[in-house]
Amino acid sequence: QVQLVESGGGLVQPGGSLRLSCAASGFTMDYYSVGWFRQAPGKEREGVSCISSRNDIIYYGDSVKGRFTISRDNAKNLVYLQMSNLKPEDTAVYSCAADTFRILAACPDWGEYDYKGQGTQVTVSA
């Protein structure tokens, strides 16, 4: 069964850090570009970051630049999102998505990806 499963979410204080993982099963992520997205209650889904299959193209949303880092470990079939200096406005459900297309000038939208995870909740609160 092909699926993506996110993990690593939780409750963290402002200024804290979390590392999210996106694990693939049923397929090998080596040839897949992966994106991270988030959706807060009552808000549109927002693209957070994306990484190409070859690890040579990475983009970040303006709201997370300098605080979040995306990386991948193809040997483990995992993609990570390291989040630092977290703010209350980072509170959202974070989801990953994967597809074999090439990332070009910007991160693809959520609807363009073939495989999508269910998400993990991140809550930033004192």
Side-chain angles (χ1 to χ4, degrees):
Q1 183 180 1
V2 173
Q3 62 177 352
L4 292 172
V5 178
E6 303 89 344
S7 62
L11 173 64
V12 62
Q13 292 186 342
S17 299
L18 281 175
R19 188 178 77 163
L20 305 183
S21 298
C22 173
S25 61
F27 68 100
T28 302
M29 292 182 84
D30 297 41
Y31 304 105
Y32 285 75
S33 297
V34 176
W36 279 100
F37 297 81
R38 67 185 182 185
Q39 189 166 23
K43 294 189 176 182
E44 296 283 324
R45 182 175 282 111
E46 175 188 12
V48 175
S49 181
C50 60
I51 186 168
S52 64
S53 59
R54 299 180 180 181
N55 209 23
D56 58 349
I57 298 175
I58 290 175
Y59 293 115
Y60 296 98
D62 288 341
S63 60
V64 306
K65 280 180 183 176
R67 300 188 298 121
F68 290 12
T69 302
I70 192 171
S71 62
R72 62 191 302 154
D73 186 340
N74 286 345
K76 295 182 178 179
N77 231 21
L78 290 169
V79 172
Y80 303 105
L81 185 69
Q82 177 68 47
M83 307 186 295
S84 302
N85 191 21
L86 283 160
K87 305 175 181 180
E89 51 264 41
D90 294 318
T91 295
V93 174
Y94 284 72
S95 303
C96 62
D99 202 292
T100 55
F101 51 49
R102 287 193 63 193
I103 294 173
L104 299 174
C107 286
D109 292 331
W110 175 257
E112 299 182 64
Y113 288 87
D114 268 349
Y115 301 139
K116 300 164 186 173
Q118 293 297 308
T120 184
Q121 176 70 47
V122 172
T123 302
V124 185
S125 175

